[in-house]
Amino acid sequence: MPLYETQTLKIYNSLSGEKEIFIPIHKGNVGMYVCGPTVYSNVHLGNVRTFMSFDVIFRYFLHLDYKVRYVRNITDVGHIVDDVDEGEDKIARKARLEQLEPMEVVQRYTVDFHEILKAFNFLPPSIEPTATGHIIEQIEIIKTIIDNGIGYEANGSVYFDVVKFNKTNHYGVLSGRNIEDMLANTRNLDGQTDKRNPQDFALWKKAEAQHIMRWPSPWSDGFPGWHLECTAMSTKYLGNHFDIHGGGMDLKFPHHECEIAQNEACTGQTPVNYWLHANMLTLNSKKMAKSTGNNILPREILTGENTILSKAFSASVARFFMLQAHYRSILDFSDDAIVAAEKGYKRLMEAVSVLNDIESSEKSSIAIGKWKQLCYDAMNDDFNTPILIAQLFEGVKFINLLIDGKETLNAIDLELFKKAMNAFIYDVLGLENEKVSGSNDDKLEGTVNMLIDMRKQARENKNFALSDQIRDQLVSLGIQLKDGKEGTTFSL
């Protein structure tokens, strides 16, 4: 029997604003589309957090024995700066600034995207389509929308008539917006636009003479609208009606709202049953921004080459840190927070490493089946990774009690416990045990931690001369101590 038959999964649906029991369109199968990156710069940490959320969701569906088709696109056409219909294409702008062909920009940052996600142990999606590879499909959708009376051509560009669409449908159903309010709060820019209404959005834009990325169409040499790309790629590989569409919270409006409108105008049916949105990540309680210097790239976490963190951290530590918050919660990234996460990660990994050496007894004193179901209950409650991690630390307590001989497990329960701990840590959360027993790094860390403990003891005994001597000699060796609320840490 597949695991999904024994578990009731509830998902928070942005469309209804409620947690709903997940019922796939086709039993045993899941179709999931997630908006991928626009590859004009290095992938930023907020993107990594969003894609990590859906990586865990993908992993959990696989763990439940679903057959999953996970589609995550690459936007390589580029869309307009600030995601509006006027302005300069992001990829084209980067190409102009760096004096490169646009596809050189695309290739460079697509490679960076894949390298970062591999470093953070992401599973690759089932299909990773590109916007440039689906221009024909996008043109065909535009033709259908025009034929259905919702799209109109103006000076070589094609726009979606939001007001006309809203007469029979609800534009704003996902974000809870009202078209009348949107129109009332928008200034009318007479003579500055080909749009019939300020809220109309581009399906196809006529390329200006200097615009490099362009394709022939029935209306002009031009390029597709940003929203249209995802509609074309999601429906091609998942059908006009599929299970899950995900992305960052910032995409809910206008991007996902426009996707719904395009699908309904084209096919006459709502495209998605469950809309999932991951929340944002802040840095030191402020919005991340290159302009203010309050910014860190994922690769800089791994190398330690930044001014934000006290040292380098492994990808699994950063992953563990991010999964300590629910994907719909705002997560604040800081040095103190990831230092604390590293300690928790190491405690978890040390415990699971010694679990394999524990021997069984004749009878069990712990209800492992009940604990295991609590782990499932956490994930079944809208993929609640922080609660799952809390349950895994209950497992760590069990391991310590087993080691001390204060609790026992029979052979069947011990094997069940081992499999569950490993499955949730490695398969579902996607963590990796980066500790290599006996390595030089481990020996160095053990030695420094022993000296930190000696220094702590000296300070408690008011032997400040010895305390300062330990600190100063470590500094002379290039090892910097940092005293904090959670204790003392070190960096090389």
Side-chain angles (χ1 to χ4, degrees), residues 130-271:
T130 63
T132 54
H134 296 78
I135 300 295
I136 293 172
E137 290 85 350
Q138 294 174 71
I139 289 173
E140 291 304 311
I141 289 174
I142 295 171
K143 288 179 181 178
T144 303
I145 293 174
I146 291 174
D147 290 344
N148 291 342
I150 306 299
Y152 61 92
E153 187 267 340
N155 294 325
S157 295
V158 181
Y159 297 96
F160 188 97
D161 194 328
V162 170
V163 172
K164 190 170 184 180
F165 171 79
N166 199 60
K167 289 179 180 177
T168 54
N169 301 74
H170 180 193
Y171 182 77
V173 64
L174 180 64
S175 58
R177 302 187 184 213
N178 182 288
I179 186 65
E180 287 78 15
D181 292 341
M182 284 189 274
L183 290 170
N185 293 325
T186 304
R187 288 190 302 116
N188 188 14
L189 303 176
D190 288 334
Q192 296 186 32
T193 179
D194 293 321
K195 296 180 184 181
R196 292 176 183 171
N197 313 290
Q199 298 300 325
D200 294 352
F201 56 89
L203 299 172
W204 186 266
K205 286 291 289 181
K206 180 181 179 180
E208 301 297 332
Q210 71 274 15
H211 199 99
I212 303 172
M213 301 182 80
R214 59 173 68 216
W215 291 263
S217 79
W219 313 284
S220 65
D221 277 6
F223 52 95
W226 171 40
H227 314 305
L228 188 67
E229 298 166 11
C230 286
T231 294
M233 290 182 278
S234 63
T235 55
K236 175 164 184 174
Y237 298 108
L238 299 175
N240 291 335
H241 186 207
F242 55 96
D243 296 301
I244 294 172
H245 193 314
M249 197 78 75
D250 57 317
L251 298 181
K252 185 184 291 187
F253 186 89
H255 185 51
H256 291 160
E257 200 73 76
C258 293
E259 279 193 65
I260 293 174
Q262 288 167 162
N263 268 279
E264 292 183 354
C266 187
T267 68
Q269 60 178 310
T270 187

Side-chain angles (χ1 to χ4, degrees), residues 359-400:
E359 296 182 356
S360 62
S361 299
E362 290 185 7
K363 61 181 181 178
S364 299
S365 59
I366 311 170
I368 290 299
K370 183 178 179 181
W371 166 82
K372 180 181 174 183
Q373 187 56 49
L374 289 173
C375 292
Y376 277 110
D377 290 346
M379 289 302 291
N380 290 339
D381 183 18
D382 192 34
F383 313 104
N384 201 321
T385 55
I387 299 299
L388 171 60
I389 289 172
Q391 290 300 332
L392 292 175
F393 276 107
E394 288 298 314
V396 171
K397 291 180 183 178
F398 296 161
I399 292 170
N400 292 331

Side-chain angles (χ1 to χ4, degrees), residues 451-469:
L451 290 167
I452 288 173
D453 288 340
M454 290 174 62
R455 176 173 173 260
K456 180 184 177 184
Q457 190 66 46
R459 293 170 78 179
E460 289 174 353
N461 294 335
K462 300 188 185 304
N463 188 348
F464 299 114
L466 177 58
S467 168
D468 291 345
Q469 182 184 2

Side-chain angles (χ1 to χ4, degrees), residues 293-307:
N294 194 52
N295 184 63
I296 186 170
L297 292 173
R299 199 181 301 276
E300 293 171 342
I301 296 172
L302 309 184
T303 63
E305 296 172 358
N306 62 82
T307 59

Side-chain angles (χ1 to χ4, degrees), residues 37-201:
T38 301
V39 282
Y40 69 98
S41 65
N42 297 106
V43 60
H44 63 74
L45 198 59
N47 289 144
V48 170
R49 195 236 173 155
T50 294
F51 298 133
M52 188 181 295
S53 299
F54 290 102
D55 180 64
V56 170
I57 289 169
F58 178 35
R59 286 171 174 276
Y60 190 57
F61 278 126
L62 292 174
H63 177 75
L64 291 179
D65 299 321
Y66 280 104
K67 182 179 180 181
V68 187
R69 177 175 287 180
Y70 174 24
V71 183
R72 186 187 66 215
N73 75 297
I74 296 286
T75 296
D76 58 349
V77 172
H79 52 83
I80 304 301
V81 177
D82 297 327
D83 307 333
V84 295
D85 292 332
E86 309 299 331
E88 189 175 7
D89 179 294
K90 289 182 176 181
I91 290 174
R93 181 175 67 173
K94 190 76 169 183
R96 177 174 55 79
L97 292 173
E98 298 191 8
Q99 295 185 318
L100 298 170
E101 281 287 334
M103 281 303 159
E104 286 184 89
V105 173
V106 165
Q107 178 69 9
R108 174 184 296 177
Y109 295 115
T110 299
V111 169
D112 171 75
F113 175 68
H114 288 148
E115 286 178 347
I116 291 298
L117 265 55
K118 184 178 181 181
F120 280 83
N121 198 32
F122 283 51
L123 296 178
S126 314
I127 303 173
E128 192 174 51
T130 63
T132 54
H134 296 78
I135 300 295
I136 293 172
E137 290 85 350
Q138 294 174 71
I139 289 173
E140 291 304 311
I141 289 174
I142 295 171
K143 288 179 181 178
T144 303
I145 293 174
I146 291 174
D147 290 344
N148 291 342
I150 306 299
Y152 61 92
E153 187 267 340
N155 294 325
S157 295
V158 181
Y159 297 96
F160 188 97
D161 194 328
V162 170
V163 172
K164 190 170 184 180
F165 171 79
N166 199 60
K167 289 179 180 177
T168 54
N169 301 74
H170 180 193
Y171 182 77
V173 64
L174 180 64
S175 58
R177 302 187 184 213
N178 182 288
I179 186 65
E180 287 78 15
D181 292 341
M182 284 189 274
L183 290 170
N185 293 325
T186 304
R187 288 190 302 116
N188 188 14
L189 303 176
D190 288 334
Q192 296 186 32
T193 179
D194 293 321
K195 296 180 184 181
R196 292 176 183 171
N197 313 290
Q199 298 300 325
D200 294 352
F201 56 89

